[in-house]
Amino acid sequence: MRLVVLAAIICAISSFTTVNLLRHLNASTGNGRYAWMVLTTAATGFGIWATHFIAMLAFAPALPSAYDGPLTVLSLAVALALTGAGVTVATSKDTVDHRLVGGSLIGAGIAGMHFIGMAAYKVPGALAWDQLYVAASLLAAVIFGALAIQTALGKVRRGQQWLAGTFLTLGICGLHFIAMAAVTIQPDAAIDIPPASISPTLLALGVALAAFAILLFSAIALWISIRDLQRNHAEEQRMRDLVNAAVEGLVVCRDGMVVTANASFVAMSGRPLGEIVHQRFCELVPVESDAVGRERVEAAVQRKDGSRLPVEIIERDITYDGVPHTVYAVRDLRERRKAEADIRHLAMHDMLTGLPNRRAFNERLEEEIVLHRKKTHRYLGLLCLDLDRFKEINDLFGHAAGDAVLQQVAASVGSVLSERQLFARLGGDEFAILLPDLANPSEADDVARKILATMREQRGTAATENLVSTSIGIAICPSDATDASDLISHGDAALYCAKGDGRDTWRRFDASMGRAIRSRRIMEHDLRHAISRDEMSLVYQPQKRLDTGETIGFEALLRWNRAESGNISPATFIPVAEDSGAIVPIGRWVMEEACREAATWPDHISVAVNVSPVQLHYASFAHDVRTILARTGLPANRLEIEITETALVRDMNRALIALRQIKALGVRVAMDDFGTGYSSLSNLRAFPFDKIKIDGSFIRSVDTNPQAATIVKAVLGIGRGLGLPVLAEGVETSEELKFLADEFCQIGQGYLLGRPSHRVDLAPLPAAHHHAIAHPVGA
């Protein structure tokens, strides 16, 4: 029995060694594959042969026995040959058929080796065989051999190497012991053991060598396995370190169950790895059913604390540890969601004030109008706000101060509104407020009053002093309009009316406002076509020296004879032209017509042309003046442009550049309406003026208003001190003329000296007026 157990142990060692070597053979390529094949074949063949003959040494029939040498060697050769064929077929292709056929060939090798080995067994007698046991032994060898190879090389599962080794052991031992049960020895003294037979002692030596070879092969296989295991462990650790370094979460699953996960996913889930492994992935990251099958799926990781982490999942199929698995790349979407939210906020909000912008306002307005169409006895209020004199704040204090004012307005007005009421900045200094669910329109009036009161309270403490105020226009849906564009248009009309009524107030829309807005828009349209329709013309008012009455120039004044309504006052249409931008082509036409007319006058007569602030800040203004002078042939020193200080404070740097460019051409520059608006002595020093014009409102009051007379005297003194000639506008009476002469004013302009006319009159000052001057005026 000791030898029987030894045979079984040798068989088991050989079988497990064979399975181990088969795995390496199946994974190898190139020339190294042949070495693995020889090693596997030798381990299997020697194992089969050694198992048989160790078991035969354990067989004791109480008769002398020996072994035929050639047949013994042949049995080993058959075992090696059929085993090699079986191994070759089983590993040639990765199919079940090849593995089963290869395993069957190994089973045949086991059987062939056994029965040839039994033929080499010599005793003084004859061997009788039970065919049923023989068939059973052959069947066991083939079946267990096929199962062993299929299990060893088939789909990798946990513990299958041990199962494959067990099958191969059963195949070898099963055939031997079943076949031994099939044989019966019939003693016969007439039969002698051939003298050349191998004695059991010599056979034991051969078996010992075979066993040693098997143990050597096993040691080699064990060493290779340990080396591969260490290599695989190191590679796995490197891979795990690499995977853990990934920002994305990685989860490896098999049949929906988590096998492993990296550190990023562990952090996302808020669970230790031990709690994640062996859980279903769909429980950790629930995915909507309609998202299954898509390459990229947005879902949420169910964290341990109950919170949900938004993620994006990318699914891929891989082979992990030789078995098909699914790997999920889980990408944290918090930063992306935050960035998207920031982008949406930027797209829908004003960066300076943080208020909703025009786009957000329009979308909300459309939504509220749709909602209010379904409601009865409820109203939607729209408040249009515009800051009064905001451009002056920018001009006087700079854009930083203007930005601070806008932020202050956003905070102040926002403080009086409720959560549902939308406050938006539409652009520049334009704001709008939506008041949904009003019980009656008067509630909108109450909100407007609160806003104005808040603004007035803030003005007293603002760095911009009393400059900041607001005008408000109110329109109500559905009373005034039932669609967004009309509601906004009516709110703007009410705002325009509030500005026209003195600003810092509010007005509710009514039909007359709409007519006023339409009238203004028609005027804007007609202004753009007035030149092409030949409705514009120029008149010329003389400018004369007060000491001699000599005409030294004319001021070109624009007149508009509108086809539908006749003559329109410049005070009416010039502001409209400036607001609409039509003043630029109109101003260019005025300058060219005035220069063309002046070119026909005597050489000492100049022409003065008023220039709007919009024109002065136009990029091509200086170029246009140079082109007009070249085209008309008027010398540059005979052209004088008149600008107000409003043009200077709007953008002082741009105005200074434009004026220097004009002066470089030789054109003279006069400051018009000095004493009104934002007059500053620093402007006279900073800008290259050639003349000062005193506004006519002061001249008309010199006889009745001592303050006006004092201002005129002061301006005349400034002119003398700076060496600048001073022209007094609006001279209409002899008393005014005498006052100016007494104060040594040099030049005058007004109805007393000459009315505007299409025809140029070069006659000197009338004698009656000239003699009214008490004494001559100095230079």
Side-chain angles (χ1 to χ4, degrees):
M1 289 304 299
R2 291 192 298 270
L3 291 176
V4 171
V5 172
L6 179 61
I9 291 173
I10 293 296
C11 180
I13 293 174
S14 172
S15 297
F16 287 108
T17 301
T18 297
V19 170
N20 195 358
L21 293 173
L22 268 174
R23 288 181 57 251
H24 292 290
L25 168 61
N26 201 40
S28 64
T29 57
N31 295 330
R33 182 177 179 83
Y34 297 107
W36 284 110
M37 188 173 295
V38 170
L39 193 60
T40 304
T41 299
T44 308
F46 276 102
I48 296 170
W49 189 82
T51 299
H52 172 80
F53 282 102
I54 291 174
M56 289 305 297
L57 290 174
F59 183 59
L63 292 172
S65 61
Y67 296 89
D68 183 89
L71 289 177
T72 300
V73 174
L74 178 62
S75 66
L76 177 59
V78 168
L80 293 172
L82 290 178
T83 298
V87 168
T88 301
V89 171
T91 58
S92 61
K93 286 188 179 180
D94 187 19
T95 65
V96 175
D97 292 345
H98 282 75
R99 290 192 288 271
L100 291 178
V101 171
S104 299
L105 285 174
I106 292 175
I110 297 170
M113 181 272 138
H114 177 83
F115 290 110
I116 293 174
M118 289 303 295
Y121 185 62
K122 301 300 181 181
V123 293
L127 302 181
W129 295 91
D130 186 328
Q131 298 301 320
L132 182 60
Y133 277 100
V134 170
S137 66
L138 291 173
L139 196 61
V142 172
I143 290 175
F144 281 115
L147 286 174
I149 301 307
Q150 169 61 25
T151 306
L153 300 179
K155 188 175 181 180
V156 177
R157 292 184 178 87
R158 188 181 299 275
Q160 71 179 47
Q161 293 185 55
W162 295 100
L163 184 60
T166 301
F167 282 148
L168 189 55
T169 301
L170 290 175
I172 297 171
C173 292
L175 179 133
H176 177 83
F177 290 108
I178 294 173
M180 289 304 293
V183 67
T184 302
I185 300 176
Q186 299 174 349
D188 187 350
I191 300 176
D192 295 325
I193 298 175
S197 298
I198 301 172
S199 67
T201 302
L202 291 176
L203 180 62
L205 180 59
V207 169
L209 292 175
F212 176 78
I214 293 171
L215 292 175
L216 178 62
F217 297 147
S218 299
I220 293 173
L222 180 61
W223 175 75
I224 293 173
S225 296
I226 293 173
R227 185 197 64 182
D228 289 349
L229 183 63
Q230 291 175 340
R231 182 184 300 165
N232 291 340
H233 179 73
E235 185 66 26
E236 182 180 350
Q237 187 60 43
R238 282 195 297 270
M239 185 61 68
R240 184 175 295 278
D241 292 341
L242 182 62
V243 169
N244 283 334
V247 176
E248 294 179 345
L250 295 176
V251 184
V252 179
C253 297
R254 180 181 176 190
D255 298 330
M257 302 293 291
V258 177
V259 175
T260 186
N262 71 345
S264 294
F265 183 79
V266 170
M268 288 181 191
S269 67
R271 294 178 168 87
L273 182 60
E275 291 186 16
I276 297 173
V277 175
H278 304 315
Q279 280 206 49
R280 298 199 67 81
F281 181 74
C282 61
E283 295 176 357
L284 296 171
V285 188
V287 179
E288 296 180 5
S289 58
D290 60 349
V292 176
R294 296 210 309 262
E295 182 178 354
R296 294 175 181 266
V297 178
E298 290 193 4
V301 174
Q302 193 70 42
R303 294 172 59 84
K304 189 174 183 177
D305 59 7
S307 62
R308 293 168 63 86
L309 179 71
V311 295
E312 180 184 65
I313 302 172
I314 303 174
E315 176 184 341
R316 291 288 186 272
D317 292 330
I318 65 168
T319 299
Y320 177 74
D321 200 18
V323 179
H325 285 69
T326 302
V327 64
Y328 295 97
V330 184
R331 183 174 299 160
D332 190 342
L333 292 184
R334 284 178 296 184
E335 288 297 325
R336 184 195 295 180
R337 293 281 174 84
K338 182 180 181 301
E340 291 173 351
D342 291 343
I343 291 172
R344 284 195 298 270
H345 186 274
L346 289 174
M348 304 297 284
H349 289 76
D350 172 55
M351 293 183 63
L352 177 64
T353 62
L355 297 175
N357 59 13
R358 185 182 294 273
R359 177 180 175 184
F361 170 79
N362 289 336
E363 290 184 5
R364 175 73 180 277
L365 177 59
E366 293 286 355
E367 293 173 2
E368 292 293 346
I369 287 177
V370 171
L371 290 175
H372 278 76
R373 286 172 183 165
K374 303 175 183 178
K375 298 178 181 180
T376 56
H377 309 299
R378 306 299 292 181
Y379 299 90
L380 171 65
L382 169 64
L383 274 61
C384 294
L385 287 73
D386 189 279
L387 300 185
D388 303 325
R389 297 185 296 275
F390 180 70
K391 291 181 179 179
E392 299 169 14
I393 295 173
N394 278 333
D395 294 338
L396 291 174
F397 299 97
H399 290 284
D403 291 345
V405 167
L406 293 174
Q407 292 171 333
Q408 180 184 3
V409 169
S412 301
V413 176
S415 65
V416 304
L417 301 177
S418 67
E419 186 176 348
R420 281 214 61 202
Q421 294 170 343
L422 176 71
F423 184 30
R425 182 189 179 200
L426 306 185
D429 61 335
E430 299 178 46
F431 297 85
I433 299 173
L434 282 182
L435 307 175
D437 283 331
L438 299 179
N440 57 74
S442 64
E443 293 183 14
D445 303 344
D446 295 337
V447 173
R449 292 189 189 97
K450 290 180 182 178
I451 292 172
L452 291 174
T454 301
M455 293 287 291
R456 289 165 187 155
E457 181 180 348
Q458 290 291 333
R459 281 206 305 272
T461 60
T464 50
E465 300 176 354
N466 292 321
L467 287 177
V468 184
S469 62
T470 186
S471 301
I472 303 175
I474 303 174
I476 304 295
C477 173
S479 306
D480 299 328
T482 57
D483 64 77
S485 60
D486 287 346
L487 192 66
I488 294 174
S489 176
H490 292 168
D492 285 339
L495 172 63
Y496 180 75
C497 180
K499 283 186 171 293
D501 289 347
R503 304 181 178 182
D504 194 23
T505 187
W506 62 271
R507 290 291 181 269
R508 178 97 66 79
F509 173 80
D510 61 42
S512 62
M513 296 178 184
R515 289 192 294 270
I517 291 296
R518 286 192 294 272
S519 175
R520 179 183 175 90
R521 289 175 179 170
I522 292 172
M523 180 178 286
E524 290 177 1
H525 176 269
D526 290 347
L527 274 171
R528 290 189 174 92
H529 297 85
I531 295 175
S532 61
R533 293 172 180 171
D534 200 23
E535 295 176 354
M536 293 289 185
S537 62
L538 296 181
V539 295
Y540 301 91
Q541 187 173 26
Q543 298 175 340
K544 298 188 177 184
R545 289 186 59 85
L546 297 186
D547 55 350
T548 64
E550 176 189 5
T551 299
I552 61 173
F554 291 87
E555 180 179 3
L557 303 174
L558 179 62
R559 296 292 182 263
W560 182 23
N561 186 12
R562 193 178 183 188
E564 296 180 358
S565 51
N567 289 321
I568 307 296
S569 169
T572 299
F573 72 80
I574 290 296
V576 176
E578 288 184 328
D579 290 342
S580 65
I583 192 66
V584 174
I586 291 174
R588 191 182 297 118
W589 178 86
V590 169
M591 184 167 293
E592 184 158 1
E593 288 297 308
C595 290
R596 182 176 290 109
E597 175 69 21
T600 65
W601 302 341
D603 292 343
H604 67 284
I605 305 296
S606 64
V607 63
V609 180
N610 287 284
V611 173
S612 162
V614 178
Q615 284 178 270
L616 184 64
H617 294 135
Y618 197 67
S620 64
F621 176 68
H623 176 267
D624 291 343
V625 173
R626 181 169 58 250
T627 301
I628 289 171
L629 291 174
R631 187 183 299 145
T632 60
L634 180 70
N637 62 354
R638 291 179 58 198
L639 172 63
E640 181 176 272
I641 65 170
E642 298 181 356
I643 63 170
T644 62
E645 285 194 287
T646 303
L648 305 182
V649 298
R650 176 174 294 183
D651 190 336
M652 297 189 71
N653 290 331
R654 182 179 294 182
L656 182 59
I657 292 173
L659 291 180
R660 286 174 175 170
Q661 290 174 339
I662 293 299
K663 291 284 290 181
L665 297 175
V667 177
R668 292 178 294 163
V669 181
M671 178 182 284
D672 198 9
D673 297 339
F674 187 78
T676 63
Y678 311 103
S679 296
S680 170
L681 297 180
S682 63
N683 290 333
L684 293 176
R685 182 183 63 182
F687 290 91
F689 292 107
D690 299 291
K691 183 186 294 182
I692 301 174
K693 296 185 69 175
I694 305 176
D695 188 69
S697 61
F698 295 107
I699 303 302
R700 286 189 293 271
S701 302
V702 293
D703 293 333
T704 59
N705 189 329
Q707 292 179 337
T710 300
I711 291 174
V712 172
K713 291 178 182 178
V715 173
L716 291 170
I718 291 171
R720 285 193 297 272
L722 296 177
L724 296 177
V726 178
L727 184 150
E729 291 184 293
V731 181
E732 297 181 356
T733 67
S734 298
E735 290 76 11
E736 294 167 1
L737 181 62
K738 185 177 184 303
F739 174 85
L740 294 171
D742 290 342
E743 297 299 327
F744 305 106
C745 181
Q746 299 166 314
I747 310 169
Q749 178 182 339
Y751 283 1
L752 182 65
L753 306 178
R755 290 179 175 272
S757 172
H758 291 286
R759 297 184 61 185
V760 173
D761 184 5
L762 299 177
L765 184 69
H769 295 155
H770 180 63
H771 292 304
I773 301 175
H775 52 76
V777 179

